[in-house]
């Protein structure tokens, strides 16, 4: 009524005061699903470090695993693949052309041959050119072959959500489009400890998984 503009953070409680969003590592370790590690050794990480660590473990424990996408050999826009190409070689961590449809299609083919494909779509907003490959090919591969073939080794990683200067082409959350597709699993972690565990589980899951990493 005063005519003053709303506060920049809106009228909802911000991250600092939100009981839903703000969590400490102590809160995370109280999760009963983590009972086996609650008293073990932990290491402080942010989300991109947790994602990087999970991919490092996947590459170290699975000789068929490869990480590929736009700029991943250089570390990626959000630095999630930093150091992986140096550690595991450019034949296992490599850049692709700027073609999301090709990235998804290559990952499907690789997974169909029994390898573990960890594909990065640089921003979730640009996953739509790959929509047909993911929805009509990856999701239906096992069904259309009567269970004879599958692309369970496919994991698509993609950063999603708001970024301070991203605007409408770098801030979208397109998970709902895929969540309504039988044959695909969609995972969105809320914290670093979840990101590491869920990404490893997504890579090792024998179904195609779209793993969306919140930018904040």
């Amino acid at each position: 009524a005063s005519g003053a503009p709303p506060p920049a953070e809106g009228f909802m409680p911000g991250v600092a005061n939100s009981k839903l969003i703000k969590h400490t590592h102590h809160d995370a370790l109280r999760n009963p699903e983590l009972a086996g590690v609650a008293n073990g050794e932990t290491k402080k990480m942010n989300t991109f470090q947790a994602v990087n660590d999970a991919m490092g473990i996947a590459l170290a424990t699975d000789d068929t695993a490869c990480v590929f996408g736009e700029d991943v050999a250089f570390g990626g826009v959000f630095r999630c693949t930093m150091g992986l190409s140096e550690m595991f070689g450019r034949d296992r961590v490599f850049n692709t052309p700027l073609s999301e449809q090709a990235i998804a299609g290559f990952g499907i083919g690789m997974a169909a041959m029994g390898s573990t494909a960890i594909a990065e779509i640089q921003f979730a907003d640009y996953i739509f050119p790959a929509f047909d490959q993911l929805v009509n090919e990856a999701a239906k591969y096992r069904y259309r072959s009567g269970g004879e073939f599958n692309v369970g080794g496919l994991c698509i990683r993609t950063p999603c959500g708001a970024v301070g200067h991203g605007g409408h082409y770098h801030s979208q959350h397109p998970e709902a489009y895929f969540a309504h597709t039988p044959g695909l699993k969609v995972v969105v972690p809320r914290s670093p400890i979840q990101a590491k565990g869920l990404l490893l589980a997504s890579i090792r899951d024998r179904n195609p998984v779209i793993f969306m990493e919140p930018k904040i």
Side-chain angles (χ1 to χ4, degrees), residues 179-201:
H180 293 276
T181 302
L184 290 179
K185 291 187 176 181
V186 180
V187 177
V188 185
R190 75 177 183 189
S191 65
I193 195 168
Q194 285 191 336
K196 180 176 177 178
L198 288 173
L199 179 53
L200 269 173

Side-chain angles (χ1 to χ4, degrees), residues 6 16 37 47 54 63 91 111 122 127 132 134 144 149 185 190 197:
V37 299
T47 300
D63 291 339
D91 58 336
Q122 196 169 80
I127 202 169
D132 179 65
L134 296 173
R144 74 173 186 170
F149 308 110
K185 291 187 176 181
R190 75 177 183 189

